[in-house]
Amino acid sequence: MKKNKFDITAEELAKGLGISLERLYEVVDFFDADSKDEWELKEGEHFAWLIKNAKTRTFSEFGAFAIAKYLDTTQPQNIWSRLKEFLFQYKAKLRKSFIRKQILKHCNSLTIRNGHIYLSKTDSIGILMTSHARINKAFEDLLVSDPSLEKGLDFNDFEDKRFYSLQGFEKICHLLGQELTLKDRREWCKEVTVTGPEVMQKLMDAEMAFESKVEAAKKAVRQKDGDRCQATGQKTGPAKSMTVNVHHIFCRQHYPDIAASQDNLVTLSEAVHKNFHSWNGKAPCTADRLIEFLAIHHPEAETLTLRLHYSNKVYHRIKPNILVAAK
């Protein structure tokens, strides 16, 4: 038996039925007044308590139908058309919410390449809740359609993995929305066609805005550090050409929340930067790891070591984001 969902707030239901919130609660009070009459709202079937002492509730679709039925018998208005329109919009809102949640679970591969937003095939399957075989068939069918999918515009391969652009992803969604056997799966794909690209575009807009913050922080740290390697004290000049990198003390992969913090950034020469990452291997970058590296390879870097101790003091309570790093 399908479990009731009590997602409809009193405010939403009142607005959808075209009555005031006060009128809605008058109806609810009437339902509660006489347990022997035909009008009854059952807890767990028609409603759930939001705050019982305040007598506020959320409603299921069954509850909405029960209240609409009562209103239809007691006042002259086309309540059923109102209810139908309300439930249509309500279900559309729920579908969009579910799709957004599914995208957020499967969006780690979102990337911008050559001016296009791309999503991996694996994440596309997760969002569409389909199989490799079914998405492969849709892709092959679209390759021989007119117009066909175009590499570099609708799809591409990066690091030996298949990616779809938002345009290509939308075309696959549209095809599955027409051809899948089960109606609910077709409807899901149709909704993803509308909602998916919009949500992913917003995610990438947010990512690009954050990337701008990271770059601004790096530029500020370069200026603060005088574009000088903080481990060796060396600086690019007429007699010595040297590339200076900005290093995340606590690596961006494992500590994304502080990626745009200037206290988490330091300038190192390209040579020192490469040597540290080679020495550190696959371990997460932290202040302690850089302190250990400096003690072995640059014991004279006292000022930087003290600065790293300060970073530890600032960020010692921040835990690495293992889930982000593992994807």
Side-chain angles (χ1 to χ4, degrees):
M1 182 177 179
K2 185 177 180 180
K3 186 178 179 181
N4 292 329
K5 290 188 179 294
F6 306 97
D7 299 322
I8 305 175
T9 67
E11 291 79 7
E12 287 176 324
L13 183 55
K15 184 178 180 180
L17 296 176
I19 60 176
S20 68
L21 185 61
E22 290 75 15
R23 174 58 178 148
L24 174 64
Y25 273 114
E26 284 178 7
V27 173
V28 170
D29 287 341
F30 172 80
F31 271 71
D32 292 341
D34 187 353
S35 60
K36 295 181 181 180
D37 64 17
E38 64 174 311
W39 305 106
E40 184 178 9
L41 290 179
K42 295 181 181 179
E43 182 181 359
E45 180 178 340
H46 297 104
F47 75 93
W49 291 110
L50 189 61
I51 304 175
K52 193 167 185 177
N53 290 341
K55 295 186 177 181
T56 56
R57 328 179 189 212
T58 55
F59 299 90
S60 67
E61 288 184 40
F62 292 134
F65 273 113
I67 291 170
K69 184 177 180 181
Y70 170 76
L71 290 172
D72 189 53
T73 63
T74 58
Q75 57 191 67
Q77 60 175 310
N78 191 3
I79 198 69
W80 293 112
S81 63
R82 284 181 177 274
L83 179 66
K84 183 178 179 181
E85 177 64 20
F86 166 69
L87 289 178
F88 175 80
Q89 293 179 358
Y90 164 71
K91 288 178 180 178
K93 184 178 73 173
L94 277 186
R95 281 197 305 272
K96 189 170 183 176
S97 176
F98 292 151
I99 288 169
R100 184 165 55 246
K101 181 179 178 181
Q102 195 69 9
I103 290 172
L104 293 176
K105 284 172 59 179
H106 301 278
C107 67
N108 198 55
S109 66
L110 275 174
T111 184
I112 295 180
R113 302 283 185 100
N114 304 321
H116 296 288
I117 297 174
Y118 284 97
L119 181 72
S120 73
K121 174 183 174 182
T122 300
D123 277 346
S124 299
I125 290 169
I127 292 170
L128 293 170
M129 294 191 293
T130 187
S131 66
H132 281 271
R134 191 63 190 85
I135 205 167
N136 284 344
K137 184 178 186 307
F139 180 78
E140 295 298 329
D141 289 345
L142 287 168
L143 279 180
V144 296
S145 65
D146 186 20
S148 64
L149 292 182
E150 183 179 339
K151 188 170 185 178
L153 184 61
D154 298 302
F155 70 96
N156 221 320
D157 296 317
F158 307 118
E159 290 81 43
D160 298 323
K161 293 182 180 179
R162 175 59 49 83
F163 283 75
Y164 307 120
S165 69
L166 291 192
Q167 177 177 296
F169 177 78
E170 188 175 347
K171 289 179 179 179
I172 290 173
C173 291
H174 181 73
L175 182 65
L176 292 177
Q178 293 178 319
E179 295 187 350
L180 287 177
T181 304
L182 298 177
K183 182 179 179 181
D184 64 322
R185 306 305 306 128
R186 293 198 305 271
E187 293 303 314
W188 175 268
C189 290
K190 287 177 183 178
E191 190 65 39
V192 173
T193 304
V194 176
T195 304
E198 174 190 346
V199 172
M200 285 186 269
Q201 180 68 59
K202 288 180 178 178
L203 285 172
M204 289 309 300
D205 288 345
E207 179 69 23
M208 291 171 70
F210 182 70
E211 191 64 41
S212 295
K213 289 183 180 180
V214 173
E215 291 305 312
K218 286 183 176 182
K219 182 178 180 180
V221 168
R222 281 185 181 277
Q223 293 176 344
K224 183 176 70 175
D225 287 351
D227 224 12
R228 183 187 301 272
C229 176
Q230 298 302 296
T232 65
Q234 294 177 318
K235 182 178 181 179
T236 298
K240 184 174 180 61
S241 178
M242 182 184 70
T243 300
V244 175
N245 297 152
V246 180
H247 171 70
H248 279 94
I249 298 169
F250 291 87
C251 60
R252 181 171 179 172
Q253 183 183 14
H254 292 81
Y255 301 87
D257 293 343
I258 56 174
S261 172
Q262 292 184 35
D263 286 331
N264 187 39
L265 297 169
V266 64
T267 53
L268 300 173
S269 71
E270 187 173 55
V272 172
H273 195 214
K274 285 183 177 179
N275 287 341
F276 168 70
H277 280 287
S278 178
W279 174 86
N280 196 48
K282 294 183 178 180
C285 297
T286 63
D288 283 336
R289 291 294 290 170
L290 188 50
I291 288 171
E292 186 178 349
F293 168 80
L294 293 173
I296 299 170
H297 298 279
H298 298 279
E300 74 283 0
E302 179 181 358
T303 301
L304 177 55
T305 300
L306 293 174
R307 177 171 167 179
L308 294 170
H309 276 292
Y310 173 76
S311 294
N312 261 339
K313 183 179 179 180
V314 173
Y315 300 123
H316 74 283
R317 293 186 179 179
I318 296 180
K319 298 184 182 296
N321 193 334
I322 298 172
L323 292 178
V324 170
K327 287 185 178 181

